[in-house]
Amino acid sequence: MLLFEGAAELRLEDGGGPCAGRVEVKHQGQWGTVCGDYWDMDDAAVVCKQLGCGSAVTAPKYGHFGPGSGPIWMDDVDCRGNESALSDCKHPGWGQHSCKHYMDAGVTCSGFVQLVGGDSPCSGRVEVHNGKTVCDSDFGPKAAEVVCRELQCGTALSVPGAARFGEGVGPMWDRELQCARNESFLMFCPRGSPRDQPCTHANTVGVTCTQYTGFRLVNGSTACEGRVEVQVLGTWGTLCASRWDLLDAHVLCRHLDCGFAESIPRGGHFGSGTGPVWRDSFHCEGTEAHLGQCPVTALGASPCSPENHAAVICSGPAGSTALRLVGGGNRCDGRVEILQRGTWGRVLDDEWDVREASVVCRQLRCREAEKAYNPAKPQRGTGPVGLRGVRCAGHEAELSLCNTSLPESAAAAGIAEDVGVVCTGSRQVRLVKGPGRCAGRVEIYYQGSWGTVCDDGWDLSDAAIVCQQLGCGGAVEAVGSARFGEGSGQIWLDGVNCSGAEAALWDCPAGSWGQHDCAHKEDAGVVCSDFMALRLGNGSNCSGRLQVFYNGTWGSVCSNSMTLQTVSLACKELGCGDAGTLETRLPSGRVSGHAWLDRVECGERNSSFWQCPSAPWDPRSCDDLREETHITCSGRRPETAPAVGTVCPNSTSCTDREKIRAVGGESGCSGRVEVWQRGSWGTVCDDSWDMQDAEVACRQLGCGPAVSALDEAAFGEGTGPIWLEQVECRGSEPSLQACWARPGDSGACRHKEDAAVQCSAAPRTAAPTPRADPSRDRPTGSGRLSLPVIICIVLGALLCLLLALLAGQVRSARAGRAGSARAWEPFPDAVYEEIAYNLAWEKRARFSGSGSYSEGSLAKLQPYPADSKEEEGPGSAPDVPVLPGSDPAHGYDDAREVSAPGEDPAPGQGAWEMPRAPEEGAGPRDAPGGANLRSQRSAGAPAAEGDAWSLSPESTGYDDAEEVSLAHPPEHRKAATAELSAQPSLSPAPGEPIPAVQLGAAGSEEGTLQLGEP
């Protein structure tokens, strides 16, 4: 209660404290109430200010805090909000009213004290009496205990000074708060006289409170072993062991002055308790002084069975010769100190080696010694000396059993220095620079320093071991290429190859420690199933459907049991202010996708959304759209572009929907297509961009069918990388990333070729006029044809070739029947050799020039069956030599060049080849080297080996075959043909067997022509 000169005295009653309750004012020496007619937040603000209780939170009226008694002094109060006292506000006059006491007005203020600038209402900078900061010299641990109790935040964990939570602005509190610790409210603490010396904002004090007000071990044989019980805001309960590990147990043992944790028995070893079971999971690093300093989660935790209660067996109180390691990364690494006569002293030695270090590690239960060293000068101790000149054999159980010199004795020869130890038990793994505890870059603590892991061979089996070590569930993704940023220092491991059965990452097969051929741009990372994140979907900025990321998937949060306290913590987690509202008018229907959580019940003891209890994780927590949670937060996030190296938008591993956006349109369903890759947004090149690609993009955007596929930067040129070129979608893929495409780093595209879409779900608004209409045929100059046209051309060509084959077979049969009565006359040997020579030369010339065929694929002529029998012998040559020098047309009276329409083949290029149609169901991604029909056509490259029909002059096989010409032969070929036409015909007489040249089928292994039996 505060008095103001010239103002009527004021108080708040029946509200549980001095800053909440029914408003009562003192007039003419008598207390009376205020009528609630027209009572609002401006009136309440004046009351809170007058009482020094901060800002107004609510302005209840009509007897919210119960009816008062005595006179009703004020009615129809009308404050502007800037008055210094309620009696300064306008009102009809003292005692003038038409009310009853059931209409008495009330106020709830933020309080005389509040904590500002922390990550929860239970930590932050101390501000009192309407926002005045407090100097750290005027505030101590007793005052901190009163503050935490008043705010219902448990007990004080720390009292940091030096503006740990920011400096604050405005006036400062000018006197000491001399609390005795037993006060219920800080307002009631005695106050010292005003300071003589001013205090600056750089010295403001803060407080961190914890809801965990007590810890104990029960049902054990000593006070240092037993079942773990935790007191939460005054209530004792048993701790569930769902995430309980040795690091958590080490922190508890040290906090209870019980040494370190030796083991954590399972299976209800110390029985079960009778009170509540806390499902809170602690995630300690092992160096914390109190379990309340560790991150805590409870969201989605499963019910705890009696045999799954947390327990620990500690090493016990420090003995007369206890050891500890200080200044290292954990309790198994650091400078050695020994306890003697209740005082910790340094250990000095000038010949410290691994034998002494082994004894220290064994005594501390830290496994084997990994390194013995003398700390650098900045890390040396300054306290008393406990031991000097230690000499161990290496098998001793304690360091005190080794030969030592007491500090009082003469110094050993040489200069004795502090000694340090690194034990194998000090090895740790952690995830850093990620969006949460269970996602980030993998780092290992080895020999006293942190280092990274190379991504060579890094896969889900390796990531699973890391997630298991950290209590983060299973592995969702194994990432490389320094997605979580590049580390520094050592790269400890390379070529990790875990089987999945290992207990720790360093147990997996890998290269030697520190041996690698990597750079930090190849640092490995993981995303575990227990990585969680929040977002608002289907909305704008800080309003929309509340979704949680768990087990690698986004899912809804159901609204059953949802309170404004839960909404407030969700908004704070999202960076959208400290309050929000719950939307209730929702359409009916079935939930699509996952609905991960239900019955999230945040209370006053919860400082973050992740600490709130809820129903267990279940992908089918609710199935009606009306049960989904839609909220609107009071704040608004600044819209900033994601930084390169972040996991993805919304600080998590990207889903397909998050990996695409439409930029530059009037809605999110039209605009330039941009995709998320390698930690940044980039555009898509419009090469081969068509309606099938646009259909996939619109589906991925959640914007319905595509209306048009736009090219040439129709919505303006983008910036940054061009991630995809020549996208080839079938139209059924779930995302553009699932379509075949070339990487966009070739430099062939510029941002003036950025692709864009217009989808049907967008409002029908005028879009910028594209420079090309993608709904029509592409310009012929570009060389692009649609896929149906290509397929028709190929099928037509195949049909023509099949008809030609059939015609040739019919002619052969007719010729055989016509000449059956004639005697067989074989070709003269000279002619036979000439034909063989010219065919082989032709193949050599054609195929060696193109580079598409190997030397071994050239066909070798085989003798006819009759000839082979006669020619077998010492003088016969099995192969016809291939010699350069003659024109391939020599030796044929009907040779004719077959070339591509409208042009002659380049020398050495061979016959013109028609790309064959892809097999049904095979996509462009199946093509060797990423080749596809469009790119072959546009680039003018020959078809791959074995993928083309070859039409060559030799393909007829007969001297009387009809000419098949797609173009006029070159002039030098015509001359050769005319010269040969005057020579006698080499056709066999009727009845002779006709040699046949087999055409290479489209699906044959090689595209060369084989000469052999018919």
Side-chain angles (χ1 to χ4, degrees):
M1 180 186 307
L2 300 179
L3 300 177
F4 290 82
E5 186 177 353
E9 194 174 343
L10 204 64
R11 70 183 183 188
L12 299 178
E13 292 293 309
D14 297 335
C19 292
R22 181 178 60 252
V23 180
E24 294 191 359
V25 61
K26 192 175 186 179
H27 179 64
Q28 294 180 351
Q30 186 176 7
W31 287 100
T33 63
V34 177
C35 183
D37 285 344
Y38 303 109
W39 186 255
D40 59 20
M41 289 293 289
D42 288 336
D43 308 325
V46 174
V47 172
C48 293
K49 187 190 332 182
Q50 182 176 348
L51 293 173
C53 285
S55 58
V57 176
T58 62
K61 47 190 174 182
Y62 306 139
H64 178 78
F65 293 102
S69 59
I72 298 176
W73 283 127
M74 301 178 73
D75 189 11
D76 297 337
V77 178
D78 183 17
C79 300
R80 294 188 304 272
N82 58 358
E83 295 86 353
S84 58
L86 187 67
S87 56
D88 294 337
C89 299
K90 294 179 181 179
H91 62 96
W94 294 103
Q96 301 298 314
H97 68 88
S98 58
C99 291
K100 301 293 183 182
H101 277 298
Y102 68 82
M103 301 172 67
D104 286 342
V107 168
T108 301
C109 306
S110 59
F112 177 77
V113 62
Q114 56 184 338
L115 301 179
V116 180
D119 59 0
S120 75
C122 293
S123 68
R125 181 177 63 251
V126 178
E127 292 189 358
V128 301
H129 197 267
N130 301 330
K132 295 179 181 178
T133 56
V134 179
C135 188
D136 51 15
S137 61
D138 295 334
F139 193 93
K142 294 180 180 179
E145 288 291 340
V146 175
V147 168
C148 292
R149 184 163 53 249
E150 178 177 347
L151 297 177
Q152 298 182 351
C153 289
T155 187
L157 192 60
S158 62
V159 190
R164 166 76 177 277
F165 295 101
E167 294 188 358
V169 294
M172 295 194 68
W173 184 256
D174 64 351
R175 58 196 68 197
E176 184 181 4
L177 291 165
Q178 301 171 340
C179 301
R181 197 191 296 266
N182 58 356
E183 295 87 353
S184 301
F185 300 95
L186 190 66
M187 182 184 289
F188 299 154
C189 290
R191 301 166 192 178
S193 57
R195 279 191 314 271
D196 294 332
Q197 298 295 327
C199 183
T200 66
H201 285 292
N203 297 105
T204 54
V205 71
V207 171
T208 299
C209 307
T210 177
Q211 61 181 326
Y212 304 108
T213 53
F215 299 93
R216 65 188 181 191
L217 300 177
V218 299
N219 283 6
S221 57
T222 70
C224 290
E225 66 175 42
R227 185 180 69 253
V228 179
E229 289 194 352
V230 181
Q231 188 183 47
V232 178
L233 297 179
T235 303
W236 285 100
T238 300
L239 182 67
C240 188
S242 57
R243 291 287 189 272
W244 183 250
D245 61 18
L246 271 175
L247 293 178
D248 305 330
H250 284 318
V251 174
L252 179 59
C253 290
R254 182 165 54 247
H255 174 68
L256 297 175
D257 292 326
C258 286
F260 56 86
E262 293 185 345
S263 63
I264 46 175
R266 303 287 185 180
H269 186 77
F270 294 103
S272 58
T274 56
V277 177
W278 308 123
R279 292 187 288 168
D280 302 36
S281 295
F282 295 93
H283 308 287
C284 302
E285 295 180 358
T287 57
E288 297 86 351
H290 187 284
L291 279 176
Q293 295 177 337
C294 305
V296 180
T297 60
L299 197 71
S302 300
C304 194
S305 60
E307 60 274 6
N308 196 30
H309 293 165
V312 62
I313 297 176
C314 304
S315 60
S320 58
T321 56
L323 291 180
R324 71 179 183 183
L325 302 179
V326 297
N330 52 57
R331 74 175 198 88
C332 293
D333 161 43
R335 182 170 52 82
V336 182
E337 289 189 352
I338 188 169
L339 182 66
Q340 290 184 337
R341 295 186 292 274
T343 303
W344 287 101
R346 299 153 61 199
V347 176
L348 305 182
D349 193 16
D350 58 345
E351 296 182 6
W352 183 258
D353 61 23
V354 71
R355 289 174 297 181
E356 287 79 32
S358 297
V359 175
V360 172
C361 292
R362 186 180 305 115
Q363 183 174 346
L364 291 174
R365 309 285 179 89
C366 287
R367 298 199 287 272
E368 301 299 321
E370 198 164 66
K371 180 182 178 183
Y373 68 98
N374 293 107
K377 187 173 182 179
Q379 300 169 348
R380 295 173 187 169
T382 57
V385 177
L387 285 180
R388 185 190 299 268
V390 182
R391 295 293 177 270
C392 300
H395 56 75
E396 294 86 352
E398 294 184 4
L399 192 65
S400 60
L401 300 179
C402 301
N403 293 325
T404 61
S405 300
L406 295 177
E408 295 83 7
S409 63
I415 301 175
E417 298 178 349
D418 287 286
V419 297
V421 170
V422 177
C423 308
T424 56
S426 68
R427 295 178 188 174
Q428 299 177 72
V429 65
R430 69 181 182 184
L431 301 179
V432 299
K433 298 299 182 182
R437 186 183 64 86
C438 291
R441 182 177 68 243
V442 178
E443 291 191 354
I444 294 178
Y445 188 78
Y446 175 70
Q447 288 197 350
S449 63
W450 289 98
T452 62
V453 177
C454 182
D455 64 4
D456 290 347
W458 186 254
D459 58 20
L460 277 176
S461 297
D462 311 321
I465 298 299
V466 175
C467 294
Q468 171 187 306
Q469 264 188 275
L470 294 173
C472 286
V476 171
E477 188 177 6
V479 302
S481 302
R483 183 198 287 185
F484 296 103
E486 296 183 13
S488 60
Q490 288 280 358
I491 298 176
W492 281 130
L493 291 179
D494 188 13
V496 179
N497 185 22
C498 301
S499 66
E502 295 85 356
L505 187 63
W506 43 83
D507 295 332
C508 300
S512 300
W513 288 98
Q515 299 299 313
H516 62 88
D517 57 356
C518 299
H520 280 295
K521 65 181 180 179
E522 301 169 82
D523 285 343
V526 301
V527 178
C528 304
S529 60
D530 281 2
F531 165 63
M532 299 177 290
L534 279 184
R535 74 176 183 184
L536 294 174
N538 298 346
S540 60
N541 203 284
C542 287
S543 176
R545 175 163 54 102
L546 186 62
Q547 291 183 300
V548 63
F549 186 84
Y550 175 72
N551 199 26
T553 309
W554 286 104
S556 300
V557 177
C558 304
S559 60
N560 296 307
S561 302
M562 183 70 61
T563 64
L564 289 180
Q565 175 71 16
T566 303
V567 174
S568 173
L569 287 177
C571 291
K572 191 173 185 68
E573 181 69 27
L574 291 164
C576 288
D578 297 329
T581 58
L582 188 63
E583 305 295 330
T584 55
R585 293 186 177 182
L586 301 174
S588 61
R590 292 190 63 82
V591 174
S592 61
H594 291 78
W596 276 123
L597 285 174
D598 196 9
R599 303 195 178 279
V600 182
E601 300 174 354
C602 300
E604 292 294 333
R605 76 180 187 92
N606 303 121
S607 58
S608 85
F609 184 82
W610 312 116
Q611 294 178 10
C612 301
S614 71
W617 295 105
D618 181 358
R620 293 290 179 266
S621 294
C622 58
D623 56 11
D624 195 309
L625 290 176
R626 289 172 295 185
E627 295 180 87
E628 289 186 321
T629 301
H630 289 250
I631 64 174
T632 299
C633 299
S634 60
R636 184 172 179 82
R637 282 191 304 250
E639 302 212 11
T640 56
V644 174
T646 56
V647 187
C648 81
N650 296 306
S651 299
T652 185
S653 181
C654 287
T655 61
D656 283 344
R657 173 62 188 86
E658 289 181 296
K659 290 179 182 177
I660 189 171
R661 66 184 182 184
V663 180
E666 295 188 9
S667 72
C669 291
S670 65
R672 181 177 62 255
V673 177
E674 294 189 359
V675 294
W676 177 266
Q677 197 165 308
R678 302 182 199 171
S680 65
W681 289 102
T683 62
V684 177
C685 183
D686 65 4
D687 287 351
S688 78
W689 184 255
D690 57 20
M691 285 296 291
Q692 287 177 299
D693 309 324
E695 282 288 344
V696 175
C698 289
R699 182 184 307 118
Q700 189 176 355
L701 286 165
C703 291
V707 174
S708 57
L710 310 177
D711 59 1
E712 297 183 5
F715 285 92
E717 296 183 13
T719 58
I722 299 174
W723 284 132
L724 300 176
E725 294 179 17
Q726 294 185 350
V727 179
E728 295 279 358
C729 299
R730 303 188 190 100
S732 59
E733 294 88 349
S735 66
L736 281 182
Q737 289 83 356
C739 300
W740 183 89
R742 289 185 183 275
D745 52 8
S746 67
C749 258
R750 297 291 181 266
H751 281 297
K752 65 182 180 180
E753 301 171 81
D754 285 342
V757 294
Q758 190 167 8
C759 309
S760 60
R764 296 306 181 98
T765 55
T769 304
R771 284 176 248 174
D773 185 358
S775 62
R776 299 175 183 170
D777 292 336
R778 303 275 183 178
T780 57
S782 67
R784 302 171 184 160
L785 292 175
S786 64
L787 190 60
V789 174
I790 295 174
I791 293 175
C792 290
I793 292 173
V794 174
L795 292 177
L798 290 174
L799 183 59
C800 291
L801 290 173
L802 289 174
L803 291 175
L805 281 173
L806 290 174
Q809 293 294 332
V810 170
R811 282 182 174 273
S812 176
R814 288 178 179 174
R817 288 195 299 270
S820 60
R822 297 182 58 180
W824 176 67
E825 296 179 6
F827 287 134
D829 289 347
V831 175
Y832 170 74
E833 292 172 359
E834 181 70 7
I835 292 174
Y837 158 70
N838 283 314
L839 276 173
W841 187 95
E842 173 77 0
K843 292 166 187 169
R844 168 73 68 174
R846 289 178 185 272
F847 300 143
S848 64
S850 66
S852 300
Y853 296 84
S854 65
E855 186 173 344
S857 67
L858 298 176
K860 297 180 181 180
L861 291 176
Q862 302 296 330
Y864 297 123
D867 292 340
S868 63
K869 293 178 182 179
E870 295 175 4
E871 294 178 2
E872 286 178 359
S876 63
D879 294 320
V880 178
V882 179
L883 302 173
S886 298
D887 191 289
H890 292 338
Y892 297 94
D893 59 349
D894 59 350
R896 189 65 56 87
E897 179 71 9
V898 181
S899 63
E903 64 178 357
D904 295 327
Q909 289 293 321
W912 182 76
E913 298 173 339
M914 170 66 75
R916 64 187 177 97
E919 297 177 6
E920 184 176 354
R925 281 168 288 181
D926 300 327
N932 60 79
L933 296 178
R934 300 185 196 195
S935 60
Q936 285 180 8
R937 184 170 60 257
S938 60
E945 188 172 308
D947 282 356
W949 290 94
S950 299
L951 303 180
S952 66
E954 298 85 6
S955 62
T956 58
Y958 308 101
D959 60 348
D960 59 347
E962 294 181 359
E963 294 179 358
V964 180
S965 177
L966 299 180
H968 297 291
E971 292 300 325
H972 70 280
R973 305 275 181 168
K974 291 182 180 180
T977 304
E979 180 182 349
L980 288 173
S981 63
Q983 297 178 6
S985 174
L986 300 179
S987 301
E992 296 176 351
I994 308 296
V997 180
Q998 297 177 348
L999 283 172
S1004 65
E1005 181 180 351
E1006 299 289 339
T1008 57
L1009 303 179
Q1010 302 283 338
L1011 184 67
E1013 296 180 6

